[in-house]
Amino acid sequence: MSKLLFHFLSKLKHQPGRKIPCGPLTANLYLSMSETQCGLYFLSQQPSVFLCPELVVDVSLTFEHRVHIPSSALQESIGNVSEVEVLVVASVINSSHFKLSRPERSRIQQIQVFRDSVVCVRAGNRAVENLSQPITLTFKHNKEVESGTCVFWQETSAEDGTGYWSGQGCETNYTAHEFICSCKRQRFFAVLVNPGISVTKAHADKLNYITYIGSGLSAPFALISLFIYIYLHRRHPEKSISLHMQLTVAMFCLHLTFLLSSLLAQLLKEKEDSSSCLVLGLVLHWSLLATLTWSALEGFHLYLLLIRVFNIYVRRYLLKLSLIGWGFPTVVAAVCGISRVYGKYTLNYSDSNLTQHMCWISDKSEQKLLIVSHITTVAFPFFVVVFNACMLGLVVFKIWDLRRGDRNFGSSSDWKKINKEKRKRLWKDCVTVLGLSCVLGLPWGLASTTYVSLGGIYIFTVLNSLQGLFIFLWSVALAWSNSRTANNSSIRDSSSQKMMTTSFNSKN
């Protein structure tokens, strides 16, 4: 028996309980009154009499923990030795009692013991491994983690009381509300999780304010941007301006629908799920897919202009792009709508029982939610961001190549003597790259930072809620660039201004 278990048992206090008849065997049940919420069992038996098959240990240690020890496991714990009393311990203790060895401490820095709870299971005076029937342990969860691994505590050979968590001989089953561990040994058991970043109600309220203010600004600014693009397109009909118009419409629908879906979900009762919420969830999902699709098409158009500079004429080019940009989101949203995956989605806070709702992909069907959300809101945005990031890298390379070929710009050795005009050109280059990053939807890539830190969640929320404002600034930059080029055609700038007004705006 481990030193930790001996130390733990020495502090237990128990009181007599009730007798449980089982054929020739009588089991006396004792419950401890200690602060650790433990269950103690003394199984009294006559010499040479084995436990009857019906006798099992099945007890709820706390509201969140349950232990089931089958009869075969109890028999194997006793072995062939006849004992007057067999001590069975099932308890919940804090994980702070367990000290990781130094190599393990550095290896699993990001992994934690679920709720710092460790369940101790022991029967008899000797440790038994490779049980014929596993011991079953249940850890309830509130969906605050998506996955976990059942493990047991393995002490090292050192005499310093250190050890490590091992999953050998344990199977993990994850359900909607429980971790179910099946382990063929008697030890200290826990569930190791790699927890996501928890958001408290205070932080959630701040993020809500940021999102509502950002979307409240993005929607009207996106609408103003649309009018600017229409004006530019009438003066100079260009493919790139047409693509910007389609992207702006999709982004306007996204921010407007988000505000409406959040407002309607708050007005609904706790268990109410109206058809209006279903429709808004569908439109919100469709708007998100449309925004991402048109961002990908912006990257594709950029690819044609930068890589295939010559012979890029495509018959009915804009019509084909429109069929993809609006057709793909419509087909996906229609299929999801027929499958009835939309409805009210519930957000849980990590520090309270309060919830928040929005009209989105319903969480009533967890399997459908998992499939739809991972394909359309994880895999597809990942593909778009990676592809467009490569396109933006080509833009940076082209700008650098143009600058290097411009004799007036100078070589890299002249950076210290750069004059005011060169700094202005460098500033234009930076504005071009930042503007294109918004047009290409690269801020969506910051979703990966939300799994790392709370600061990443704030950065992602701020930048993506203000995308409509960024699109407006880009439209103003294009309008200013076009007007300046029209008023003063003698100005020669072979860098970002040329790329903004000529390369990116090929005529039909």
Side-chain angles (χ1 to χ4, degrees), residues 132-147:
S132 58
Q133 286 185 292
I135 296 173
T136 304
L137 308 100
T138 303
F139 298 78
K140 290 188 177 180
H141 62 80
N142 192 28
K143 299 182 181 179
E144 65 263 43
V145 292
E146 295 182 355
S147 62

Side-chain angles (χ1 to χ4, degrees), residues 450-463:
T450 60
Y451 297 96
V452 178
S453 66
L454 187 62
I457 298 178
Y458 275 94
I459 295 174
F460 173 81
T461 303
V462 171
L463 293 182

Side-chain angles (χ1 to χ4, degrees), residues 143-205:
K143 299 182 181 179
E144 65 263 43
V145 292
E146 295 182 355
S147 62
T149 303
C150 296
V151 293
F152 70 92
W153 180 255
Q154 179 68 57
E155 293 183 347
T156 60
S157 56
E159 296 297 330
D160 55 358
T162 61
Y164 58 92
W165 296 107
S166 173
Q168 185 177 5
C170 289
E171 294 183 1
T172 307
N173 291 315
Y174 180 84
T175 66
H177 304 285
E178 296 174 337
F179 289 108
I180 302 176
C181 303
S182 300
C183 300
K184 294 186 176 182
R185 63 182 69 238
Q186 300 176 23
R187 290 290 175 89
F188 296 94
F189 301 98
V191 176
L192 292 185
V193 295
N194 192 0
I197 303 301
S198 59
V199 178
T200 62
K201 187 179 185 303
H203 285 297
D205 290 339

Side-chain angles (χ1 to χ4, degrees), residues 69 73-74 77-78 86-89 121-128 186:
I69 307 177
L74 295 174
S77 300
I78 300 171
V86 177
L87 177 62
V88 178
V89 178
V121 178
R122 187 61 181 256
N125 293 323
R126 64 190 185 94
V128 180
Q186 300 176 23

Side-chain angles (χ1 to χ4, degrees), residues 222-277:
L223 188 61
I224 296 173
S225 302
L226 180 61
F227 290 124
I228 294 177
Y229 287 137
I230 292 174
Y231 168 76
L232 292 176
H233 190 264
R234 286 183 176 178
R235 291 189 60 185
H236 304 284
E238 296 164 344
K239 295 179 181 179
S240 294
I241 299 297
S242 298
L243 264 68
H244 294 341
M245 290 171 56
Q246 311 297 330
L247 176 62
T248 304
V249 171
M251 193 169 292
F252 171 76
C253 294
L254 175 62
H255 289 285
L256 181 62
T257 309
F258 172 79
L259 293 173
L260 294 177
S261 65
S262 300
L263 177 63
L264 178 61
Q266 300 305 320
L267 297 177
L268 295 176
K269 296 181 180 179
E270 183 68 24
K271 297 184 178 180
E272 185 180 359
D273 199 355
S274 66
S275 58
S276 300
C277 191

